[in-house]
Every structure is written in structure tokens, then in C-alpha cells.
Amino acid sequence: MDLSAVPTTRRPSPAPTAWAWILDRPARGPAVLHSEGCQHASERGRPLRTEAALDALAGPGTVACTDCDANDVLVPILHHGQSGPSHPLDSGQD
Ligand SMILES: [Zn+2]
């Protein structure tokens, strides 16, 4: 058997658009964006994709949580004016 013909179709690294965010709307104050799984996100939070999260953050009345990846990831993207940075996300905080 010749296995050299087996296709190796590995997809390139996934774009950060697959990132999941939580838009939390507290009873008072601005809406807060969290990364999925953030301990500060409430059960009332709505899941958003990155594009929707950026749209929300670009508008008034929405802030990014500074205790999770929301602030570190979304704010730089917003300031760069693009939703698909080609550089890898540096989330290492050890
Ligand atoms: Zn958070």
C-alpha cells in the first residue's frame, strides 16, 4: 500500500472570530463584555461572536471586563479597526 497519497488537509489556525464572548447587562450601569467562562459574567449574559462583541463595544454604554480576556483582546482589535488580526493572540499570563 502506498500511503503517500493520503491527503493531509489540516486547516490553518482558526481565526479569533470563533472566540465566544458574553454580554452581561447588569441592572445598573453599562453592559459589560466578558470572555466566555469569566467568573464575573452572570447567568443573564448573552453569548456573542467576536464581530457582535466588537460592535457592542464600539457603541456607547458597553465596557470590556478587565479581569478576563475581553479587555486585552477586544480593545486592541477595536483600536486597530479590524476584526481579524493575523498575529497569534498572546493570552499567556503566567
Ligand atoms: Zn470578565
Side-chain angles (χ1 to χ4, degrees), residues 32-35 38-41 65-70:
V32 183
L33 273 168
H34 298 277
S35 62
C38 176
Q39 60 179 334
H40 298 297
C65 174
T66 56
D67 289 333
C68 62
D69 291 335

Side-chain angles (χ1 to χ4, degrees), residues 76-94:
I77 293 174
L78 196 63
H79 288 175
H80 288 150
Q82 59 185 15
S83 60
S86 58
H87 59 81
L89 296 172
D90 181 13
S91 59
Q93 294 180 351
D94 287 331

Side-chain angles (χ1 to χ4, degrees), residues 2-90:
D2 184 5
L3 296 179
S4 66
V6 174
T8 56
T9 54
R10 286 195 61 184
R11 300 183 63 182
S13 59
T17 50
W19 209 294
W21 308 97
I22 303 294
L23 180 61
D24 197 8
R25 294 185 179 277
R28 297 179 59 186
V32 183
L33 273 168
H34 298 277
S35 62
E36 189 175 48
C38 176
Q39 60 179 334
H40 298 297
S42 77
E43 294 180 354
R44 294 173 302 176
R46 291 176 47 196
L48 293 179
R49 293 184 179 182
T50 298
E51 286 188 9
L54 288 170
D55 284 344
L57 193 60
T62 304
V63 299
C65 174
T66 56
D67 289 333
C68 62
D69 291 335
N71 187 65
D72 291 340
V73 174
L74 291 178
V75 171
I77 293 174
L78 196 63
H79 288 175
H80 288 150
Q82 59 185 15
S83 60
S86 58
H87 59 81
L89 296 172
D90 181 13

